């Protein structure tokens, strides 16, 4: 099994969650900065998968080590899927939730459905692939909770926002948790295949 992976990200919240999920499985995740790479490629893809691959490739080319990159975002039904792949650029951190709430004033409960989506790209010397995960919920009417990052205070799953959940609770139901579960299954298959060669 791969025991050390570089994560191509500048987002501390993502890095923390990926570490929490993969380290109990025996995979050490180091940040691109810890790997000595400082890069922020232009995320000009039209899909989460394209952008995840752009980020993973840039760091793989710089390090030659196994790399993962996460491209994720919030898709709101009422907004025709926005902010989607533009979630990071929608507003500065600290203003994302308030801007979204202001776009959703007076929108009734039944029209507030939304999904968090996450695609993770993986690259090493002999393969590259993407895996995805989704978390379905809806947008609340106010910010609630102190945990998590990004849009967590306005995204309701069940009867709580993701920011009201512990890290462990969020990771069990989140888009990122689902994508990482699929990644782990793929890596296990790859190891078994290599062992059969
Ligand atoms: P990197 O590209 O460096 O990884 P980024 O923040 O720019 O970091 P993205 O381009 O993938 O990442 O943008 C995704 C945005 O969607 C992110 O900045 C958050 O605002 C939001 N987001 C993604 N996952 C989230 C989560 O689990 N909870 C809350 N917001 C999330």
């Amino acid at each position: 099994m791969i025991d050390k992976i570089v994560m191509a990200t500048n987002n501390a919240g993502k890095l923390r969650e990926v570490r929490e999920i993969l380290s109990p499985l025996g995979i050490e995740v180091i940040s691109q900065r810890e790997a000595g790479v400082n890069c922020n490629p232009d995320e000009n893809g039209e899909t989460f998968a394209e952008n995840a691959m752009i980020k993973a490739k840039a760091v793989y080319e710089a390090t030659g080590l196994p790399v993962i990159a996460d491209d994720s975002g919030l898709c709101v039904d009422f907004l025709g899927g926005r902010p989607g792949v533009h979630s990071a650029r929608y507003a500065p951190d600290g203003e994302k939730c308030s801007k979204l709430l202001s776009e959703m004033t007076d929108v009734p409960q039944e029209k507030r459905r939304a999904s968090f989506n996450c695609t993770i790209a993986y690259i090493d010397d002999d393969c590259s692939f993407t895996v995805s995960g989704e978390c379905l919920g809806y947008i609340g009417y106010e910010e609630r909770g102190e945990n998590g990052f990004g849009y967590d205070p306005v995204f309701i799953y069940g009867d709580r926002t993701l920011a009201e959940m512990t890290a462990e609770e969020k990771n069990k139901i989140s888009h990122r948790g689902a994508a990482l579960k699929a990644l782990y299954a793929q890596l296990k298959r790859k190891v078994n295949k290599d062992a059969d060669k």
Side-chain angles (χ1 to χ4, degrees):
M1 194 70 175
I2 288 97
D3 55 4
K4 191 170 175 179
I5 294 182
V6 182
M7 181 158 186
T9 187
N10 293 304
N11 181 318
K14 284 183 185 178
L15 181 66
R16 189 179 59 238
E17 290 185 3
V18 170
R19 278 189 171 141
E20 280 160 3
I21 296 171
L22 292 184
S23 46
L25 303 172
I27 302 175
E28 184 194 355
V29 181
I30 64 167
S31 66
Q32 62 181 44
R33 190 189 304 180
E34 285 164 335
V37 179
N38 178 13
C39 77
N40 197 4
D42 201 9
E43 295 176 35
N44 54 14
E46 283 176 14
T47 63
F48 294 115
E50 281 170 19
N51 284 335
M53 261 307 163
I54 288 170
K55 292 186 263 192
K57 265 188 194 143
V59 172
Y60 176 72
E61 278 161 16
T63 62
L65 297 169
V67 172
I68 53 173
D70 162 317
D71 199 65
S72 44
L74 177 67
C75 301
V76 180
D77 285 7
F78 180 76
L79 302 177
R82 279 196 302 118
V85 291
H86 303 295
S87 293
R89 288 160 273 173
Y90 176 68
D93 281 337
E95 292 171 32
K96 287 181 165 67
C97 292
S98 53
K99 181 175 173 190
L100 181 62
L101 290 176
S102 70
E103 281 207 81
M104 302 282 289
T105 320
D106 297 335
V107 176
Q109 173 76 31
E110 66 275 13
K111 291 192 177 155
R112 300 181 77 92
R113 274 192 301 270
S115 63
F116 262 130
N117 297 273
C118 172
T119 296
I120 291 180
Y122 173 86
I123 307 185
D124 70 14
D125 289 344
D126 56 32
C127 74
S128 69
F129 59 84
T130 59
V131 286
S132 299
E134 187 183 45
C135 177
L136 299 175
Y138 61 96
I139 304 302
Y141 287 93
E142 61 189 1
E143 294 184 42
R144 284 190 346 226
E146 303 295 327
N147 302 330
F149 66 98
Y151 300 89
D152 284 343
V154 293
F155 187 91
I156 301 186
Y157 179 91
D159 56 2
R160 282 183 300 165
T161 69
L162 297 191
E164 292 177 304
M165 297 184 179
T166 63
E168 205 182 335
E169 286 170 334
K170 177 183 171 185
N171 292 340
K172 267 195 196 135
I173 54 92
S174 80
H175 47 311
R176 185 161 297 104
L180 287 169
K181 203 169 161 191
L183 172 75
Y184 187 69
Q186 284 268 42
L187 290 178
K188 259 169 103 172
R189 260 200 296 277
K190 173 175 146 63
V191 169
N192 292 339
K193 236 195 253 158
D194 289 348
D196 287 347
K197 274 182 194 164

